[in-house]
Amino acid sequence: MLDIRGLSKRFGYGKGEVTALHEVSFSIAEGEFFTLLGPSGCGKTTLLRLIAGFTGPSGGSLVLDGKDIAAMPPNQRPVNTVFQSYALFPHMTVGQNVAFALEAQGRPRSEIDPAVDKMLTLVQLLHLKNRKSSELSGGQQQRVALARALVAKPRILLLDEPLSALDMKLRKDMQIELKRLQRETGLTFIFVTHDQEEALTMSDRIAVMSGGHVQQIATPRELYDRPANRFVAGFIGESNFLSAKASAGVVEVGEGRVALADAPDGPVTLMIRPEHVVLSANAPDALELQATVAQLVFFGTDTHVHLVLADGTRLVARVQNALHGGQSLNEGERITISLPAKALRVVRDEEVAA
Amino acid sequence: MTGADTLRRWALALPAVVVITLFSILPLGVVLVYSFLTPGDFGNVKWIFSTDGWFSVLFERNIFDDTIAISDANIGILVRSIVLSLITTLITVIFGLPTAWFIATRPVAQRNFWMFLITIPFWTNLLVRTIAVQEMIRSDGVFNRILLGLGIIHEPIQMMFSNFAVLLGMTYVFLPLMVLPVYAAIEKFDFRLAEASYDLYASRLFTLRRVILPLIRPGVIAGSILVFVPSLGAYVTPRIMGGGKSMMLGNLIDLQFGQGRNWPLGAALSITLTVLVLLALIWYTRLTSGRKERNHG
Amino acid sequence: MAKRSFDVTRLPGTAVLAVACFVILYIPMAILVAYSFNSGKVIGNWEGLSLKWYGSAIHNQAFLDAAINSLILAVTASVVSTVFATMAALATTRTEKFRGEGAIHIILNQPLMVPEIVLAIALVIIIGQIKQMTGYNGLGFLIAAHTTFCIPFAYLPIRARLEGMDLSLETAAADLYAGRFYTFRRVTLPLLAPAILSGFMLAFVVSLDDLVMSDFLKSPGQDTLPTYLMGELRRNLTSEIYAISSLLLLLSVLIVAGSWVATRKKD
């Protein structure tokens, strides 16, 4: 329903010109929970503001339901935003805030009142309808902002780091609440966040962004299991990287070697998640390496084992703690570790800002 | 706080308190007393109680048949003072608000320059500014010379000594007083709220009416008070621009202590003017403190 | 080609009205200054560029006397009112409520609540009597009157600054065995200095600006710049008036520029 084609944005001009977005293209489907994920300055907020219409693109097009909306002012786009700061109107009550969009559209009172009540019921705030918005707690303001943005039934709801101002406990509750709202309304959500955990738990698909480029678009599962490049692998979850040489489908790291069909010939970077590192030899189809245990860090459910390979490469392995402390490793001990072939990924370097 | 502390603080404030009591509060009391005395023959007063001064504010007694009629002249001036001050306030809002908006939405580096341009007239002598605006419309002034030169008119238009002249003069001299507080309010305005409004389908006008104006209202009210109060008590500008034809309360008061030779009437008019100003100020404090309470409640 | 961005800070028409506002503010002053350089005596008749009227103003004894009176008045009234206002501001801030604090605050603001013409008339009545009784008619009356209406103007910025000041600094100084006066001199006063300066400037300009009070209270020979200008205006409109007005305009530009430079330096 939303097609983004070659969309780019530059700020400033001449020598001070900065490119915030490099010809980004992708599509978002109806009813999808789509997340733009990346560190600050990656271009995700710029992209959101382009979709909302607060800023115009330097190039490319933005097609919603077959119509290019790139030049359309924000008040004509069927797109509403939940702002990071909520931006609730401080001089209005909760009810007036929620009614705003419908009043601005000139809907009749008889239509506005029930719609507002319905929306407030949906976010469980009907009892606070006549409160001033400045008298609410952070979580309540969040819900009002949601209700206000949803009441006019937008084609797309944009959410700009809406949970970042909430404390941990409230954030977890709101994540579930948001997902529930999205399912109940069937709306398309575009969610911006820098928090990978938030993105993984809520999204149908995630676009990982960095340096004004989209690095990968995939489901959370795919992103974690098959990161497209080194940036994505490093940003999503924890990762170990190893430099390797590949020829004819066999990769070689130091003394170890294993068959890896998709490895291109030449130097490659291998990635493996800490929980996939096996602290013993004899794993089938695995890269076996000698390592020294540098440090053991206890985390309750599991222990992180920091390892140093012969060439100085550092790796982390995550081991579940057994019931009777079957832990037999000691710091400084030399062991053989195995990296199973099915857990090893060849990763490319990411696209970087020009 | 101990008694000695309180005493020390009073002592510290005493010089200022004494000066203002002696040279402002006490004289004002004397004016109040004078408003209830009988006019002297050559100005001043006779110490005989009378309410004639107050009576004359609104009425006049016919010297021949002793009938009482409403004093058209005084009431005319009273009404003119209030109406002209209100219109002045309105015009300064119409020009001052967009100007403040314009300045507050410039890049930060440019704002100082524009504010500098507003501050200069604000600090310039009132008389000098009145002379400058008088030059524009006096019969031998800029407008008439231009119109005559272009052959649009064949003799000068008399623009001076009229309500228009007073209005123009007061608007000109008090305009900066409106821009400053409105600018301060707009500078505090969170433009993300305007973004939210446009995002929620509001037009420019709807956003202005429903979001921007309500939130910068305190600045507009402060500016209105800053313009209305000195307009109501204006003396210099109406004297030059309005002359004897378009007097304001200040000029009428002056007249009673000069040629009119009716000090009690002048005193009563002075108290009337002061009360009007106080009412405006009380209305203002009510409005602003009321808002604070609501916000906290 | 970049598409035009939607600008949330834009309100159609504001730029036009703002430009109109600046034009309205500056055209009359620009014309006044322009005419002050006219060599002709009749203001509207341009007879060539000349500094003639500035020369004639500088050699005009009445103008010079008025300028000196204005200066004496403004300096005395602003210094005295700033000192008094600073003391009063120190007395009414950085403390819990004390008996009469509200009264002091109202008294100090009272001159602002009364129209200038009313205050002038009130003082004329009283000072007229005193002049008759004592026979004294020196500049003292004008100084007292100017000091009176200058006090609130000096008081407001100083008080505002004191109210926003971090009390812990004074407490810290007291904690370090600093005496009350030492604390004031080394901690409070330096922090307060910018506010005292702006209070002083405000008082100075307000005194210099005053026409009504001086016009009603002056004895013969006590013309200030505004009363002199007003007197001349009543007699005859000459290019010299415009020259003097332009000088006053220049003075305010210098004052504003000076205070901007002073505040910039601090930032």
Side-chain angles (χ1 to χ4, degrees):
Chain A
M1 69 182 277
L2 180 69
D3 290 304
I4 294 167
R5 294 175 197 153
L7 202 64
S8 65
K9 177 68 183 176
R10 292 182 292 274
F11 292 105
Y13 47 86
K15 277 191 177 155
E17 190 180 88
V18 178
T19 303
L21 211 60
H22 293 267
E23 302 196 8
V24 165
S25 300
F26 59 87
S27 296
I28 295 171
E30 180 100 51
E32 199 172 7
F33 196 119
F34 192 89
T35 297
L36 302 173
L37 173 67
S40 64
C42 70
K44 59 190 193 297
T45 298
T46 302
L47 182 51
L48 192 82
R49 293 175 63 80
L50 282 168
I51 300 171
F54 300 137
T55 182
S58 307
S61 62
L62 203 57
V63 181
L64 178 63
D65 298 328
K67 216 168 94 193
D68 190 348
I69 60 165
M72 200 186 264
N75 51 11
Q76 287 169 25
R77 298 187 187 195
V79 169
N80 290 146
T81 310
V82 174
F83 293 83
Q84 185 170 14
S85 60
Y86 312 139
L88 295 181
F89 303 119
H91 58 298
M92 295 183 191
T93 63
V94 168
Q96 287 166 334
N97 263 287
V98 177
F100 190 89
L102 299 177
E103 284 174 11
Q105 289 178 325
R107 306 274 185 86
R109 206 72 245 172
S110 58
E111 187 185 329
I112 295 173
D113 290 333
V116 168
D117 285 358
K118 198 181 142 208
M119 228 40 245
L120 283 173
T121 312
L122 188 67
V123 296
Q124 299 156 11
L125 278 182
L126 192 58
H127 58 294
L128 296 179
K129 188 180 175 184
N130 295 316
R131 284 279 184 87
K132 270 268 164 76
S133 56
S134 51
E135 294 161 9
L136 304 179
S137 69
Q140 290 167 335
Q141 289 189 22
Q142 167 74 77
R143 287 159 196 261
V144 177
L146 264 169
R148 185 180 72 172
L150 285 170
V151 72
K153 304 195 175 70
R155 292 287 289 136
I156 301 176
L157 185 74
L158 306 175
L159 302 106
D160 185 9
E161 307 225 13
L163 308 179
S164 60
L166 303 179
D167 62 46
M168 184 67 118
K169 166 91 176 63
L170 210 51
R171 201 174 330 162
K172 298 260 184 234
D173 291 347
M174 280 310 292
Q175 286 177 8
I176 297 164
E177 177 88 11
L178 267 179
K179 195 71 200 163
R180 174 184 71 87
L181 270 174
Q182 197 249 344
R183 265 194 221 108
E184 276 177 32
T185 56
L187 272 177
T188 310
F189 277 31
I190 299 180
F191 186 89
V192 161
T193 185
H194 64 268
D195 181 335
Q196 47 131 334
E197 190 191 310
E198 205 166 276
L200 292 176
T201 51
M202 297 167 76
S203 319
D204 295 326
R205 279 195 306 155
I206 299 172
V208 181
M209 294 183 69
S210 153
H213 292 277
V214 171
Q215 303 292 347
Q216 186 176 7
I217 298 179
T219 62
R221 182 94 228 173
E222 259 175 62
L223 272 185
Y224 191 81
D225 288 347
R226 307 201 163 274
N229 58 38
R230 192 178 171 127
F231 175 83
V232 177
F235 194 74
I236 309 266
E238 286 164 67
S239 309
N240 296 304
F241 296 104
L242 297 133
S243 301
K245 270 205 294 271
S247 61
V250 175
V251 294
E252 198 180 311
V253 179
E255 75 280 8
R257 45 182 33 234
V258 70
L260 217 55
D262 61 347
D265 287 0
V268 293
T269 302
L270 296 178
M271 187 280 286
I272 185 165
R273 300 287 181 190
E275 63 270 29
H276 295 146
V277 177
V278 180
L279 295 182
S280 58
N282 308 324
D285 280 337
L287 192 61
E288 286 188 7
L289 295 168
Q290 295 299 312
T292 310
V293 178
Q295 203 181 356
L296 298 165
V297 184
F298 181 68
F299 270 92
T301 53
D302 47 29
T303 296
H304 290 192
V305 182
H306 292 251
L307 304 158
V308 183
L309 303 186
D311 63 351
T313 305
R314 295 183 151 268
L315 293 183
V316 178
R318 196 147 69 198
V319 191
Q320 276 219 336
N321 290 326
L323 192 58
H324 294 295
Q327 185 59 262
S328 57
L329 286 171
N330 293 306
E331 290 181 7
E333 193 177 335
R334 284 182 60 84
I335 55 169
T336 303
I337 60 168
S338 320
L339 312 179
K342 60 177 195 260
L344 279 171
R345 302 277 174 261
V346 177
V347 290
R348 287 176 285 116
D349 284 334
E350 70 268 27
E351 281 188 71
V352 285
Chain B
M1 182 181 274
T2 65
D5 250 353
T6 305
L7 214 60
R8 189 164 43 229
R9 289 195 175 263
W10 262 97
L12 208 52
L14 201 63
V17 168
V18 167
V19 167
I20 289 174
T21 309
L22 276 184
F23 295 102
S24 183
I25 297 174
L26 189 72
L28 207 61
V30 172
V31 171
L32 184 61
V33 172
Y34 269 39
S35 70
F36 290 104
L37 297 177
T38 307
D41 296 328
F42 308 100
N44 216 328
V45 287
K46 290 180 196 151
W47 284 84
I48 302 164
F49 177 80
S50 161
T51 53
D52 276 2
W54 282 100
F55 180 80
S56 315
V57 171
L58 297 181
F59 306 102
E60 56 193 4
R61 188 165 279 148
N62 191 309
I63 10 171
F64 300 110
D65 56 12
D66 226 24
T67 52
I68 292 167
I70 283 182
S71 168
D72 291 336
N74 289 1
I75 291 188
I77 291 172
L78 192 70
V79 170
R80 175 189 293 133
S81 298
I82 295 173
V83 170
L84 287 189
S85 301
L86 285 175
I87 300 178
T88 302
T89 309
L90 189 71
I91 300 176
T92 52
V93 171
I94 291 172
F95 281 98
L97 201 149
T99 305
W101 182 270
F102 174 80
I103 299 173
T105 52
R106 290 313 94 194
V108 183
Q110 282 178 33
R111 278 184 220 167
N112 282 334
F113 165 73
W114 293 107
M115 282 315 284
F116 188 70
L117 286 189
I118 289 294
T119 344
I120 285 177
F122 176 73
W123 288 85
T124 301
N125 195 296
L126 178 82
L127 182 58
V128 170
R129 284 185 290 148
T130 309
I131 293 173
V133 71
Q134 176 196 236
E135 172 59 39
M136 302 302 288
I137 62 161
R138 65 194 184 91
S139 55
D140 206 16
V142 175
F143 280 138
N144 273 318
R145 276 173 188 270
I146 291 175
L147 292 179
L148 282 169
L150 293 174
I152 294 169
I153 54 170
H154 297 290
E155 50 190 272
I157 306 171
Q158 179 59 266
M159 286 178 273
M160 288 290 287
F161 315 122
S162 62
N163 288 343
F164 163 74
V166 176
L167 207 54
L168 181 74
M170 295 207 301
T171 305
Y172 182 69
V173 297
F174 295 134
L175 187 52
L177 290 173
M178 177 63 73
V179 178
L180 297 175
V182 177
Y183 168 75
I186 297 176
E187 213 192 13
K188 269 185 272 169
F189 176 74
D190 181 357
F191 278 97
R192 284 173 300 189
L193 295 176
E195 238 167 44
S197 173
Y198 291 125
D199 185 59
L200 297 163
Y201 312 110
S203 62
R204 299 261 184 203
L205 191 67
F206 194 86
T207 304
L208 178 69
R209 256 185 29 232
R210 300 290 288 275
V211 179
I212 297 168
L213 281 183
L215 287 169
I216 65 170
R217 213 175 78 124
V220 177
I221 292 173
S224 300
I225 277 291
L226 280 180
V227 170
F228 181 76
V229 165
S231 295
L232 199 60
Y235 170 79
V236 177
T237 306
R239 174 156 176 188
I240 292 173
M241 305 299 286
K245 275 199 184 156
S246 187
M247 273 200 268
M248 300 252 298
L249 259 179
N251 311 99
L252 182 62
I253 292 168
D254 176 33
L255 197 66
Q256 299 311 319
F257 284 90
Q259 300 159 347
R261 294 281 159 99
N262 190 342
W263 285 28
L265 172 57
L269 288 167
S270 297
I271 300 295
T272 308
L273 176 56
T274 308
V275 168
L276 286 176
V277 165
L278 282 179
L279 285 178
L281 291 174
I282 289 170
W283 170 78
Y284 172 67
T285 14
R286 279 276 173 82
L287 215 62
T288 43
S289 62
R291 179 190 318 281
K292 263 181 222 139
E293 266 160 44
R294 241 175 296 138
N295 275 354
H296 290 299
Chain C
M1 188 49 216
K3 282 165 190 134
R4 207 193 143 98
S5 278
F6 183 88
D7 182 357
V8 291
T9 65
R10 211 175 80 87
L11 280 180
T14 48
V16 174
L17 280 166
V19 169
C21 180
F22 286 110
V23 168
I24 291 168
L25 281 176
Y26 278 89
I27 288 267
M29 291 200 282
I31 287 173
L32 180 110
V33 174
Y35 277 158
S36 74
F37 293 109
N38 182 7
S39 66
K41 192 174 172 73
V42 179
I43 287 162
N45 292 339
W46 187 257
E47 291 176 24
L49 203 64
S50 153
L51 287 172
K52 188 172 147 194
W53 298 106
Y54 288 90
S56 115
I58 288 170
H59 292 103
N60 175 348
Q61 195 55 44
F63 161 66
L64 293 177
D65 289 345
I68 288 169
N69 276 338
S70 271
L71 202 64
I72 294 174
L73 256 179
V75 169
T76 323
S78 51
V79 167
V80 175
S81 61
T82 306
V83 170
F84 286 4
T86 307
M87 290 163 64
L90 285 168
T92 52
T93 50
R94 307 156 307 135
T95 171
E96 60 212 76
K97 280 245 172 283
F98 64 92
R99 241 182 133 76
E101 191 199 337
I104 294 176
H105 194 61
I106 289 174
I107 290 171
L108 289 176
N109 280 305
Q110 185 267 349
L112 289 181
M113 302 176 206
V114 180
E116 211 184 358
I117 179 77
V118 173
L119 214 53
I121 291 293
L123 278 168
V124 163
I125 294 174
I126 288 208
I127 288 177
Q129 308 273 3
I130 302 177
K131 277 183 182 172
Q132 263 186 358
M133 284 193 293
T134 61
Y136 170 77
N137 55 8
L139 218 47
F141 295 119
L142 280 181
I143 291 176
H146 278 229
T147 304
T148 307
F149 67 72
C150 283
I151 286 176
F153 285 101
Y155 175 69
L156 289 175
I158 299 173
R159 189 190 146 95
R161 171 83 186 149
L162 275 170
E163 276 189 328
M165 212 159 86
D166 189 357
L167 260 179
S168 61
L169 290 174
E170 287 191 332
T171 319
D175 195 44
L176 298 166
Y177 309 107
R180 195 188 283 273
F181 185 70
Y182 189 83
T183 305
F184 174 74
R185 202 164 54 86
R186 298 297 297 271
V187 179
T188 319
L189 201 57
L191 286 170
L192 200 54
I196 294 178
L197 186 69
S198 57
F200 169 78
M201 296 248 310
L202 205 56
F204 186 85
V205 171
V206 164
S207 167
L208 211 59
D209 198 45
D210 171 74
L211 166 62
V212 180
M213 203 70 87
S214 309
D215 207 23
F216 279 79
L217 294 178
K218 70 179 164 69
S219 301
Q222 289 180 351
D223 262 321
T224 63
L225 277 178
T227 68
Y228 170 76
L229 216 48
M230 187 73 174
E232 290 296 294
L233 204 59
R234 255 176 250 169
R235 278 189 284 280
N236 201 353
L237 204 58
T238 61
S239 297
E240 193 182 309
I241 291 184
Y242 283 21
I244 294 173
S245 297
S246 302
L247 287 175
L248 281 171
L249 185 62
L250 179 68
L251 180 69
S252 42
V253 172
L254 290 179
I255 290 177
V256 178
S259 70
W260 277 62
V261 170
T263 47
R264 276 294 170 74
K265 237 180 240 161
K266 273 186 282 106
D267 290 342

